[in-house]
Amino acid sequence: MLYLTADKFPVFVPFGVIGFYRYLWFSIRVAASKAYRPVPLPINPTYIASEDVTIIVPTIDAGEEFKEAARSWLVGKPKEIIIITEEKMLGPLQDLANAVDPQRIRVLTVPFANKRLQMVHGIRNTTTDIIVFADDDAIWPPTMLPYILSPFEDQKVGGVGTSQRVQPCGDKMTVWEVLAAFRLTIRNIEISSATHIDGGVPCLSGRTAAYRTIILKDPDFIHGFTNDFWLGKYHLNSGDDKFLTRWMVAHGWNTYIQCCNEAELLSTMKPNWRFLLQVLRWTRNTWRSDLRSLFMERYVWTSHPYCAYTMVDKLFNPFTLLVGPCLVAYLAVQSAKGLYHLPVWNIVVSYLIWLMCTRTVKLLPHLWGRPQDIIHVPAFILFGYYFAIMKMYALFTLHEVGWGTRAGIGNATDALNALNDQNARGGNGAGASGQGGAPANAEKEEGRRYDPEAAQYAQMGGR
């Protein structure tokens, strides 16, 4: 690259500064990630999965993959698994539950598909101290629950997340799944480094995350969670994990990421172009949540300044990423006019070699385990530029609040009104097995065991 800019070096100093800045912080992230350590298992744990953990799984279209996931959850011996679906899917979901473990899996329903309302219905029917939300295809290692419970030994910790890897849908990964795997590797580095540096994290991923039940049963939380509007107008359904993470920060609760093999889940991704729709939805959620965290709520600035920095960095990332190709295009045009000392092919080839080298370095943590994926580095480079453009498109379409990849998920306001009507009639969405749902005041049932210190801490606002 110095060869490209040899004749007008001062002009390109700002671009060099941008590159130096980005790779400096990348190095810091990698170093912090290497220094990070997960919370070890306690000798005498306060929380035991068989007594203190309920797994809540909101879903509308779980298939056979649910059986493999559910069996992996049951290895950890949770007290109960609650599946919440829409009424028309009760039969198929009950059949799946009966095929795995009808004694420990309960199926409840809401009138219409809406993830946040499904989660709340599960929360209201929970009687344990810890709730773990999980996607219906999240496959856990046998050690997941003990490790995800470990950070809760600190009574100031309100939420715990995990690291992730991609589970192929077929015998081998498609290019779309490899792209997702690249992103997850980078994400694992980001969240472990942020946790090590200041304890913050932009998002406790909804694929699997654990929370103290006493936080989620707070009426203020339930109201805010189900009445979350963007710009006071657009009722949000997705972005539930972003809301939960912001709630932890705003109410003084700490979070922690267990980034280790013992707590690393496997999750499927869209194996085709529909992966791009997933990314678009996630990007819109990130824009909405980060703008709220940084400029509306602002708690993150004092609680987790490094995490706030990473959010700011991501705001400008698409613009800085596009500087490179714009500069190369400018030089190519100048060369074509005879105004630059290098031919067009030299400029383009030099830039492509530079891209391959620098992007491969960023992906080394992934390639170390899967060297065969190096053939997909060019696709990752192209995806990076596509993502930068898509991110700007997402910024101007934040009013689009649909799910994007799932049919059957309707208007959030209509779903909320229908659930309120169901609750007013005294319905609890009982499952077909006859086990029924727990009463709305399930936390008062015999055997309920909230931790007194955690309860007192929550009443103080977590501060």
Side-chain angles (χ1 to χ4, degrees), residues 35-311:
Y36 159 89
R37 294 293 181 272
V39 176
L41 296 180
I43 298 175
N44 297 306
T46 303
Y47 301 100
I48 300 172
S50 60
E51 299 176 5
D52 301 306
V53 173
T54 296
I55 299 172
I56 294 178
V57 186
T59 184
I60 61 169
D61 57 1
E64 289 299 311
E65 72 278 359
F66 168 79
K67 293 181 181 179
E68 182 182 2
R71 290 188 179 107
S72 75
W73 308 332
L74 290 168
V75 171
K77 299 181 179 179
K79 181 177 181 181
E80 186 178 31
I81 297 174
I82 301 178
I83 311 297
I84 305 95
T85 187
E86 58 182 331
E87 291 176 350
K88 66 181 181 181
M89 288 297 295
L90 175 59
L93 264 297
Q94 191 65 61
D95 291 341
L96 286 173
N98 292 341
V100 178
D101 189 334
Q103 300 302 315
R104 285 191 289 171
I105 301 180
R106 186 153 52 111
V107 182
L108 305 178
T109 63
V110 293
F112 299 106
N114 181 281
K115 186 178 181 183
R116 295 199 189 200
L117 297 185
Q118 290 169 251
M119 293 168 71
V120 166
H121 197 48
I123 292 167
R124 286 172 170 157
N125 284 273
T126 294
T127 62
T128 57
D129 290 340
I130 303 295
I131 288 174
V132 181
F133 293 114
D135 278 0
D136 57 23
D137 62 348
I139 300 172
W140 294 357
T143 50
M144 173 66 87
L145 282 181
Y147 271 84
I148 208 172
L149 290 174
S150 292
F152 288 111
E153 296 297 318
D154 180 353
Q155 294 300 317
K156 294 182 180 180
V157 171
V160 178
T162 70
S163 55
Q164 305 171 30
R165 282 190 297 119
V166 172
Q167 168 85 343
C169 292
D171 295 331
K172 62 179 183 179
M173 287 190 184
T174 66
V175 62
W176 305 103
E177 291 172 311
V178 172
L179 291 176
F182 284 156
R183 285 169 56 87
L184 283 184
T185 299
I186 294 171
R187 181 184 184 276
N188 288 339
I189 293 173
E190 290 177 346
I191 60 178
S192 59
S193 62
T195 298
H196 177 73
I197 291 173
D198 71 356
V201 63
C203 179
L204 294 172
S205 172
R207 291 193 183 101
T208 291
Y211 299 91
R212 293 187 187 273
T213 304
I214 196 168
I215 301 173
L216 306 187
K217 281 184 176 283
D218 181 352
D220 289 338
F221 167 79
I222 291 176
H223 176 78
F225 190 59
T226 56
N227 292 274
D228 187 18
F229 289 84
W230 174 246
L231 300 179
K233 183 178 180 181
Y234 305 102
H235 203 165
L236 301 180
N237 179 14
S238 63
D240 49 279
D241 48 5
K242 294 282 189 179
F243 183 97
L244 281 159
T245 307
R246 293 202 320 274
W247 187 272
M248 298 294 122
V249 175
H251 291 78
W253 291 95
N254 294 336
T255 58
Y256 203 84
I257 296 291
Q258 288 289 72
C259 193
C260 56
N261 292 334
E262 293 84 358
E264 187 165 80
L265 66 91
L266 294 174
S267 180
T268 58
M269 298 288 180
K270 298 295 181 185
N272 48 41
W273 66 270
R274 292 177 67 82
F275 168 69
L276 299 178
L277 298 180
Q278 280 185 314
V279 175
L280 178 58
R281 184 181 76 243
W282 297 335
T283 304
R284 285 178 177 141
N285 289 335
T286 297
W287 273 117
R288 296 186 197 106
S289 183
D290 288 0
L291 290 173
R292 283 174 161 180
S293 292
L294 292 169
F295 306 115
M296 299 176 191
E297 297 165 358
R298 300 192 295 277
Y299 298 104
V300 69
W301 290 104
T302 53
S303 299
H304 308 294
Y306 173 77
C307 186
Y309 152 75
T310 62
M311 292 180 184

Side-chain angles (χ1 to χ4, degrees), residues 322-336 344 347-348 351:
L322 293 173
V323 166
C326 290
L327 172 61
V328 169
Y330 166 77
L331 292 179
V333 170
Q334 293 294 96
S335 176
V344 173
I347 296 171
V348 174
Y351 184 61

Side-chain angles (χ1 to χ4, degrees), residues 322-361:
L322 293 173
V323 166
C326 290
L327 172 61
V328 169
Y330 166 77
L331 292 179
V333 170
Q334 293 294 96
S335 176
K337 295 179 179 179
L339 301 176
Y340 197 68
H341 70 285
L342 292 177
V344 173
W345 71 266
N346 199 320
I347 296 171
V348 174
V349 170
S350 298
Y351 184 61
L352 292 178
I353 292 174
W354 171 257
L355 282 179
M356 283 294 297
C357 292
T358 54
R359 296 305 186 270
T360 301
V361 167

